[in-house]
Amino acid sequence: MIEGGTGLFTIGELARATGLTVRTIRFWSDEGVLTPVTRSAGGYRLYDAESFARLELIRTLRELGLGLGHVREVLSGERTVAEVAETHVAALDAQIRSLKVTRAVLSTVARRGASAKETTLMNRLARLSAAERRRILEEFVEETLHGLDTVDPEIRERMLATVADLPEDPTPEQVDAWVELAEMVQDPRFRAQMRRATEFNAADRTPEAPAGASMWFVKRLVEEVGDARRRGVVPQDPEADEVLRKVLGDAEPAAVLARLDAAFNDRVARYRELLCVLKGQPLAVHAEEFAWLSAALTARLDR
């Protein structure tokens, strides 16, 4: 306390009482968040007992990471501590999400031994905003479904559900999957391929077909072919013809093969795998069953 019993304190005395540095208190005073009560005859800034409480509040808010702008709003009464805290929590959440993506990208780079070019691309795609990532997939789905009103409604719903995003705490594998998926759905050749597969579905569906008929067919196909494979039936065996009849009836093999090649090829299978990784779901692409069916159809056509 300064001499004369005025009950006022210099910056040095505040510093000794609070443990803060003189430089910090002077900076906050210069910034207008700790206004001196008056000045001494020698020009020194003087503070009263309320300045201690104000100083403790400033220190607390700063330790919590609030900027001086927010501190000033609280001290002036423009906003409550609760309002500023809510805003800061949202900002911290965004920062945490960004740090998690950074960690996942760096883990992926280290694990893969990625080149500088790959690292740059991976970082750019992973750091797109959630809205930008969603737009990439929405445009892909919109182009795939545009004008095809007869597509199986369940297929349509599944396509719309593919608009997946990176989780808040992505694994390196999910960052890998997102980067590969983003590149894939922006590839004009893959977009044309998916469009062709969807056109086949729309063309094959009759007006009276119930929703989900396409999925039922795939399920039955996987079951029948899976059973044949377990029994050791190879695509070239005469017994494979019976499996084809069960699954496809009297359908023309060449037409089925064309649809199969469009909808169940390696690239489409990879697309589905990436979605499963991104969503944290078990992989269920049934590549072996579709490969067996394709080989059986080809064998029949070659006879």
Side-chain angles (χ1 to χ4, degrees), residues 87 165 168 182 266 283:
T87 301
D165 195 10
E168 287 195 3
D266 289 344
L283 299 178

Side-chain angles (χ1 to χ4, degrees), residues 114-121:
S115 67
K117 185 177 180 180
E118 288 173 324
T119 302
T120 300
L121 174 64

Side-chain angles (χ1 to χ4, degrees), residues 200-249:
F200 276 137
N201 181 272
D204 290 343
R205 187 168 180 269
T206 59
E208 65 275 9
S214 300
M215 302 309 301
W216 175 84
F217 167 75
V218 171
K219 183 175 183 294
R220 184 163 175 268
L221 182 155
V222 168
E223 288 174 350
E224 293 289 348
V225 172
D227 178 63
R229 293 180 68 242
R230 282 190 295 275
R231 289 187 286 111
V233 178
V234 298
Q236 294 73 25
D237 286 348
E239 194 177 345
D241 289 349
E242 181 58 30
V243 178
L244 295 180
R245 275 192 292 273
K246 281 185 180 180
V247 175
L248 306 173

Side-chain angles (χ1 to χ4, degrees):
M1 192 177 294
I2 64 170
E3 293 181 4
T6 63
L8 300 178
F9 304 85
T10 64
I11 285 181
E13 290 167 327
L14 280 180
R16 286 191 293 274
T18 61
L20 292 164
T21 66
V22 169
R23 184 175 181 178
T24 296
I25 297 174
R26 182 177 293 115
F27 173 72
W28 288 348
S29 187
D30 290 341
E31 290 296 313
V33 293
L34 184 69
T35 308
V37 175
T38 185
R39 286 183 179 264
S40 69
Y44 292 101
R45 285 176 272 206
L46 302 176
Y47 303 87
D48 60 11
E50 285 189 18
S51 300
F52 275 105
R54 190 179 181 93
L55 193 55
E56 284 301 323
L57 178 57
I58 294 168
R59 171 158 64 180
T60 298
L61 294 176
R62 290 293 288 154
E63 286 176 349
L64 289 172
L66 272 66
L68 284 178
H70 283 154
V71 172
R72 195 176 289 109
E73 288 174 352
V74 170
L75 295 173
S76 67
E78 293 177 40
R79 301 178 72 187
T80 65
V81 174
E83 289 171 338
V84 170
E86 185 177 4
T87 301
H88 195 57
V89 165
L92 283 174
D93 284 344
Q95 198 173 9
I96 289 168
R97 284 194 295 272
S98 178
L99 287 171
K100 286 177 176 177
V101 170
T102 299
R103 183 189 64 191
V105 168
L106 289 173
S107 297
T108 301
V109 169
R111 178 170 51 85
R112 289 173 48 178
S115 67
K117 185 177 180 180
E118 288 173 324
T119 302
T120 300
L121 174 64
M122 192 182 309
N123 187 53
R124 179 177 64 80
L125 288 173
R127 286 195 175 283
L128 291 173
S129 70
E132 289 170 326
R133 290 195 294 266
R134 188 174 183 84
R135 178 186 53 77
I136 288 173
L137 291 176
E138 282 178 342
E139 286 180 354
F140 164 71
V141 172
E142 183 180 343
E143 181 179 313
T144 302
L145 294 173
H146 181 68
L148 301 178
D149 298 332
T150 57
V151 168
D152 188 325
E154 190 165 325
I155 295 292
R156 181 181 294 275
E157 287 304 312
R158 283 175 175 255
M159 285 290 295
L160 293 172
T162 63
V163 183
D165 195 10
L166 274 172
E168 287 195 3
D169 189 7
T171 64
E173 291 76 19
Q174 286 171 320
V175 170
D176 258 352
W178 161 250
V179 171
E180 187 177 343
L181 183 66
E183 291 182 285
M184 182 179 286
V185 300
Q186 293 178 92
D187 180 355
R189 291 172 299 177
F190 180 69
R191 291 170 86 114
Q193 187 177 2
M194 287 295 288
R195 172 70 180 186
R196 183 164 173 262
T198 311
E199 286 172 342
F200 276 137
N201 181 272
D204 290 343
R205 187 168 180 269
T206 59
E208 65 275 9
S214 300
M215 302 309 301
W216 175 84
F217 167 75
V218 171
K219 183 175 183 294
R220 184 163 175 268
L221 182 155
V222 168
E223 288 174 350
E224 293 289 348
V225 172
D227 178 63
R229 293 180 68 242
R230 282 190 295 275
R231 289 187 286 111
V233 178
V234 298
Q236 294 73 25
D237 286 348
E239 194 177 345
D241 289 349
E242 181 58 30
V243 178
L244 295 180
R245 275 192 292 273
K246 281 185 180 180
V247 175
L248 306 173
D250 297 327
E252 173 59 41
V256 175
L257 191 58
R259 284 155 172 73
L260 198 65
D261 287 344
F264 301 103
N265 55 69
D266 289 344
R267 252 200 131 185
V268 175
R270 181 58 179 161
Y271 165 75
R272 294 188 180 115
E273 285 178 5
L274 294 172
L275 285 174
C276 288
V277 172
L278 201 56
K279 293 181 177 183
Q281 297 174 345
L283 299 178
V285 296
H286 305 296
E288 292 89 354
E289 287 81 2
F290 288 114
W292 187 98
L293 183 63
S294 178
L297 287 165
T298 302
R300 177 183 280 191
L301 288 171
D302 289 343
R303 287 176 195 155

